[in-house]
Amino acid sequence: MKNTIKTGILSFGMSGSLFHAPFLRCHSGFEFSAVVERSKKKVCLDYQNVKSYNAIDELLQDESIELVIVNTPNDTHFEFALKAIKANKHVLIDKPFTTTAAEAKQLFKVAKKKGVFLLPYQNRRYDSDFLSVKEVVESGKLGNLVEVHFRYDRFRNAVVQNSWKEDPIPGNGVIYNLGAHVIDGIISLFGIPLKWSKHASSVRPNSQVNDYEHIHLQYPNNLQVFVTISLLVADPQPAFILNGTLGTFKKNRTDVQENQLNEGMQPDNSLFGIELPESEGIITTIAANGLKTQEKITAPKASYMNVFEDVYQTLRMGKGYPITEEQIIAQLEILEQ
């Protein structure tokens, strides 16, 4: 395709090799052109025509690169995104967007001045389980929502040695790693909350970062939203529970895309993003006569390719990006409180 978006990725670890490169290869509107690899040069094993630079500044000096994906450690997002913007590149930033709302505001200000797009990468909006929740909310089957619980449960009792994610630096801890996904999903469904409160703690032995967070977000019409993120849950709870005036919806975290990518499946495979059998969510309703009924809700086919289609539509077709500056600023204000 002519006029493809030549794209550079700033690192080629799990994020670059799993969540970005395969989609750039499969989307006809993009060309995966360059990557930064400081030590191990492995991009050539799967992408023979991609340039491998030794440093970020070298990639940014490549005038052919139009879009830069910032997928480096959390506390570097602001610095590297700012460099890319000043180099007249469009920028797609992994979560967390930055470590503070003030940093994000500065990036948006400079991007507008330079006339480039600054876009948040929030792929979990395209998880099958979240899409299922979105469909149920929009269907009105639950009536007026009263109480919503979103959870992200993992069991990681041991501190990972030699991992930057375990260092007590800005942008680390479960609220930035997992909470950025959850808060973004809540904002996309219900808007910006009226107010919120948080409790954070460090519960794993020898942990230097917060590995437990509980957040209470309050919305108009008495809607109460609760977020729990923990690294010490051996038996995961339902990831989504929505209680409304007409019924309850429960859904586990069942998206398969990350596992499929780890197994080598490409995004253009017809089976990509289809949940496993018996993964349906359940709507429970009780009639006036006390009769309980349950309905299985099959999640739609999902694909993180939609993130890159959103980027393409914004850069080439002039359409508005679904994640707004206002939403990102609100998310970061909650994360950094």
Side-chain angles (χ1 to χ4, degrees):
M1 177 184 288
K2 294 182 179 179
N3 201 27
T4 55
I5 301 169
K6 296 183 184 298
T7 304
I9 303 176
L10 294 193
S11 70
F12 203 63
M14 177 181 176
S15 170
S17 62
L18 215 64
F19 292 113
H20 295 297
F23 298 92
L24 295 174
R25 173 161 58 185
C26 290
H27 193 299
S28 60
F30 291 86
E31 179 183 328
F32 179 20
S33 299
V35 69
V36 176
E37 296 180 295
R38 289 188 172 89
S39 53
K40 297 180 181 179
K41 299 289 185 177
K42 58 182 182 178
V43 71
C44 60
L45 300 177
D46 295 307
Y47 304 91
Q48 287 76 24
N49 297 321
V50 173
K51 298 176 185 176
S52 178
Y53 289 108
N54 296 317
I56 288 173
D57 287 344
E58 292 178 8
L59 184 146
L60 296 180
Q61 290 169 8
D62 186 336
E63 295 184 356
S64 70
I65 301 297
E66 181 178 356
L67 172 68
V68 169
I69 297 176
V70 177
N71 62 327
T72 50
N74 299 352
D75 65 327
T76 67
H77 287 186
F78 172 75
E79 175 190 355
F80 295 152
L82 185 60
K83 280 188 173 185
I85 292 168
K86 289 182 176 179
N88 297 308
K89 313 295 187 185
H90 302 301
V91 180
L92 179 65
I93 307 182
D94 263 6
K95 60 80 192 170
F97 191 74
T98 52
T99 61
T100 68
E103 289 178 342
K105 290 176 182 177
Q106 184 176 345
L107 289 182
F108 279 115
K109 182 179 180 180
V110 178
K112 290 171 186 175
K113 184 176 180 180
K114 297 290 286 186
V116 297
F117 286 103
L118 179 62
L119 308 173
Y121 176 84
Q122 289 284 354
N123 61 319
R124 299 297 178 178
R125 287 197 184 195
Y126 295 110
D127 277 352
S128 58
D129 40 44
F130 178 77
L131 291 174
S132 183
V133 170
K134 182 180 179 182
E135 284 191 358
V136 169
V137 170
E138 294 176 348
S139 73
K141 290 183 177 181
L142 301 180
N144 295 323
L145 290 174
V146 176
E147 180 186 31
V148 171
H149 294 264
F150 278 29
R151 296 188 63 97
Y152 222 121
D153 292 334
R154 288 182 174 174
F155 190 78
R156 303 285 190 274
N157 188 38
V159 172
V160 180
Q161 299 299 317
N162 301 316
S163 171
W164 61 264
K165 292 185 178 182
E166 300 283 7
D167 294 334
I169 57 177
N172 272 0
V174 292
I175 191 63
Y176 281 95
N177 182 30
L178 301 175
H181 293 310
V182 181
I183 299 301
D184 174 72
I186 289 170
I187 289 175
S188 74
L189 288 176
F190 307 121
I192 297 171
L194 298 173
K195 57 182 179 178
W196 63 87
S197 59
K198 288 172 59 178
H199 170 76
S201 60
S202 177
V203 294
R204 295 173 302 157
N206 302 314
S207 177
Q208 299 185 75
V209 299
N210 289 336
D211 41 30
Y212 175 88
E213 297 264 357
H214 182 74
I215 310 169
H216 176 198
L217 305 104
Q218 299 181 55
Y219 282 88
N221 302 316
N222 292 317
L223 171 60
Q224 310 297 317
V225 179
F226 301 91
V227 174
T228 303
I229 307 167
S230 177
L231 295 186
L232 288 180
V233 182
D235 183 18
Q237 310 298 303
F240 308 96
I241 300 177
L242 292 80
N243 297 314
T245 55
L246 297 180
T248 291
F249 179 65
K250 289 185 179 182
K251 175 71 174 173
N252 292 323
R253 197 168 296 282
T254 49
D255 187 84
V256 297
Q257 293 178 80
E258 184 172 339
N259 288 338
Q260 290 176 330
L261 291 166
N262 269 316
E263 293 167 357
M265 183 181 289
Q266 293 299 299
D268 55 359
N269 189 302
S270 61
L271 298 179
F272 187 77
I274 298 177
E275 287 192 358
L276 300 173
E278 306 302 322
S279 296
E280 298 92 344
I282 303 291
I283 290 181
T284 301
T285 57
I286 300 178
N289 62 4
L291 180 64
K292 179 190 288 188
T293 59
Q294 291 190 319
E295 175 189 1
K296 289 185 176 182
I297 304 296
T298 301
K301 185 178 186 295
S303 179
Y304 300 150
M305 185 66 79
N306 287 295
V307 176
F308 294 89
E309 179 61 20
D310 291 338
V311 173
Y312 181 82
Q313 289 294 325
T314 297
L315 267 58
R316 287 291 184 263
M317 309 305 292
K319 293 187 177 181
Y321 196 66
I323 307 167
T324 68
E325 177 181 348
E326 181 186 27
Q327 290 175 336
I328 282 295
I329 299 302
Q331 178 204 114
L332 289 168
E333 288 175 343
I334 295 171
L335 297 184
E336 70 173 297
Q337 182 191 39

